[in-house]
Amino acid sequence: MFSTRRVRIFDTTLRDGEQAPGIDLTIDQKVRIARQLQRLGVDVIEAGFPASSEGEFIATKKIIEEVGDSVEVTGLARANKGDIDKGIEAGLSSIHVFIATSDVHLKYKLKMTRDQVIDRIYESVRYAKSHGLIVEYSPEDATRTEEEFLLQAVRTAVEAGADRVNIPDTVGVMHPFKFQELIKKVVSVASGKVISVHCHNDFGLATANSIAGVMGGARQVHVTVNGIGERAGNASLEEVVMALKKLLDYEVGVKPWLLYDTSKLVSELTGVPVPFFKAVVGDNAFGHEAGIHVHGVIENPLTYEPMSPEEVGNFRRLALGKHSGIHGLRKILEDQGIYLDDEKLKVVLNEVKKMADTGHRVSAEDAKRIASRFLSS
């Protein structure tokens, strides 16, 4: 029985993440990331889009061979037999079928009527189910689809046998309050099937919308490591996981202490740096300079840290600058084996602040050098 407090994590780093311009992973790199995702504990790995290229086909096949025994591996397919057959040929036992449902996509991209789209949803889902596949259906651009038609598409996919239905905010136009209400309506017509959400970050709301979707009844979230993806990216795996666990007390299978290492691996292999201020895995996520903050964290980290860096495999970083106080300076120097009384520390701190006022980024080595000169004098 699926727990109502359990949220599945569907990772699409290797599919939607890799679709970002400039990210082209080799087969070996994709396999390496897949192994890390399997260790991390995600529920589903979307390995790629097997019909899109020979490399994607081979990579999907290789990922299934490497990790398919211990985690669900899926692949993307357009709602046609050719794409589904290619996924079957690659060895998939799970497939993610999509076709757009918004009027703008129907008119300008698909050149199809609504009735034709409904028929295609039913036929493609039935076809995939007839081959014994786990099927997740996505109405692309769901959040710009007329609501009644969207619900009709969901009902059609469920009637055809879809195991899960994913609601993509394809161009990131939702806000959390509206999205929560939409997901409630989708859940009400889904006959108990797992509803998933897939949020893009065009307005910086992908994580918030994903959480709102869960609060509306979704029990699976599509994410990417570091939030990489098309345009402004996708909902960030690390942010979604920690918000679900720490703020809402949902059960998530991901091992949080592996989040930082996973983030670093994906950054290294994609060549996309992790932003300095990135939540959870950024270098400043547990960074402190201001004297009041540093004093609090030294006494008890809970004063200024809502989660511990160790929880997510990250590190606390105490920095020096013009906002520094004596407590932080003492800790940084003592970590380097230098012990000074308060009067001497004040002199060193004054020198540190003068240096910072010139725009120089003060390092622990700078403080050590200043303290050493002071001691020798």
Side-chain angles (χ1 to χ4, degrees):
M1 183 70 181
F2 191 78
S3 168
T4 56
R5 299 301 299 174
R6 173 80 157 83
V7 177
R8 293 165 53 89
I9 299 298
F10 179 117
D11 184 276
T12 184
T13 302
L14 297 174
R15 198 277 298 172
D16 206 349
E18 199 195 9
Q19 283 178 198
I23 299 180
D24 291 295
L25 298 166
T26 67
I27 292 167
D28 286 345
Q29 287 173 328
K30 289 191 75 159
V31 170
R32 203 171 150 198
I33 291 171
R35 286 200 201 102
Q36 181 64 19
L37 292 170
Q38 182 266 329
R39 283 193 290 271
L40 183 65
V42 302
D43 297 278
V44 186
I45 296 172
E46 190 166 37
F49 189 173
S52 66
S53 75
E54 187 62 19
E56 281 289 276
F57 176 82
I58 295 169
T60 301
K61 192 175 179 66
K62 186 99 170 161
I63 288 167
I64 293 165
E65 291 168 1
E66 291 285 337
V67 302
D69 289 342
S70 54
V71 62
E72 181 183 327
V73 177
T74 195
L76 189 68
R78 287 164 296 192
N80 65 61
K81 291 182 179 180
D83 276 20
I84 294 167
D85 286 342
K86 201 68 177 173
I88 293 167
E89 190 185 339
L92 288 173
S93 57
S94 169
I95 202 154
H96 177 199
V97 176
F98 78 98
I99 189 169
T101 50
S102 69
D103 288 338
V104 67
H105 276 253
L106 267 61
K107 180 178 179 180
Y108 293 104
K109 186 182 79 171
L110 296 176
K111 317 289 188 189
M112 293 171 70
T113 66
R114 286 184 174 184
D115 285 345
Q116 287 172 324
V117 167
I118 290 296
D119 288 344
R120 185 71 68 82
I121 293 168
Y122 190 85
E123 290 163 7
S124 59
V125 172
R126 287 298 297 164
Y127 183 73
K129 287 306 295 179
S130 73
H131 286 78
L133 298 174
I134 296 168
V135 179
E136 179 158 342
Y137 165 67
S138 285
E140 187 186 9
D141 207 20
T143 55
R144 291 193 298 178
T145 300
E146 189 269 322
E147 193 174 281
E148 278 309 310
F149 183 57
L150 175 63
L151 297 179
Q152 183 185 358
V154 171
R155 282 192 293 263
T156 300
V158 170
E159 287 165 11
D163 300 279
R164 301 188 292 261
V165 177
N166 175 56
I167 303 300
D169 186 20
T170 301
V171 291
V173 295
M174 277 285 107
H175 61 71
F177 309 103
K178 188 175 181 182
F179 199 46
Q180 182 176 354
E181 290 308 309
L182 176 63
I183 296 304
K184 282 181 182 177
K185 292 175 184 176
V186 170
V187 169
S188 73
V189 301
S191 301
K193 300 294 184 181
V194 171
I195 297 302
S196 183
V197 292
H198 177 114
C199 297
H200 279 266
N201 206 39
D202 297 76
F203 287 89
L205 293 170
T207 295
N209 284 331
S210 298
I211 298 306
V214 171
M215 294 181 75
R219 287 299 174 265
Q220 180 174 270
V221 183
H222 287 208
V223 294
T224 62
V225 177
N226 298 333
I228 64 172
E230 307 248 24
R231 303 180 315 279
N234 290 58
S236 160
L237 181 150
E238 46 281 352
E239 293 173 12
V240 169
V241 164
M242 294 313 291
L244 288 173
K245 287 175 70 72
K246 299 290 288 187
L247 302 181
L248 298 172
D249 198 31
Y250 280 98
E251 298 168 20
V252 182
V254 166
K255 304 174 184 72
W257 57 91
L258 296 178
L259 288 172
Y260 183 75
D261 284 348
T262 304
S263 166
K264 289 298 181 189
L265 176 67
V266 169
S267 176
E268 174 195 333
L269 296 183
T270 59
V272 178
V274 178
F276 185 63
F277 293 106
K278 176 76 171 64
V280 184
V281 293
D283 280 350
N284 199 60
F286 300 93
H288 309 276
E289 179 193 313
I292 294 169
H293 284 227
V294 173
H295 184 200
V297 165
I298 289 171
E299 294 299 320
N300 186 333
L302 283 173
T303 51
Y304 289 103
E305 290 177 352
M307 65 187 106
S308 74
E310 294 81 10
E311 256 183 296
V312 297
N314 204 337
F315 307 92
R316 181 174 298 112
R317 296 165 178 86
L318 301 183
L320 291 167
K322 62 182 180 180
H323 305 105
S324 292
I326 198 166
H327 301 282
L329 177 63
R330 178 186 290 113
K331 178 74 166 64
I332 286 168
L333 289 176
E334 288 182 356
D335 284 346
Q336 299 181 91
I338 297 174
Y339 298 85
L340 301 178
D341 61 35
D342 283 358
E343 288 307 310
K344 292 172 182 174
L345 279 171
K346 285 175 186 174
V347 176
V348 176
L349 182 61
N350 189 46
E351 289 297 314
V352 165
K353 286 176 180 271
K354 282 182 182 176
M355 185 181 288
D357 279 335
T358 68
H360 181 84
R361 188 169 179 177
V362 185
S363 67
E365 279 300 313
D366 289 327
K368 182 179 180 180
R369 188 179 66 254
I370 295 167
S372 298
R373 282 206 315 264
F374 174 74
L375 285 172
S376 62
S377 66

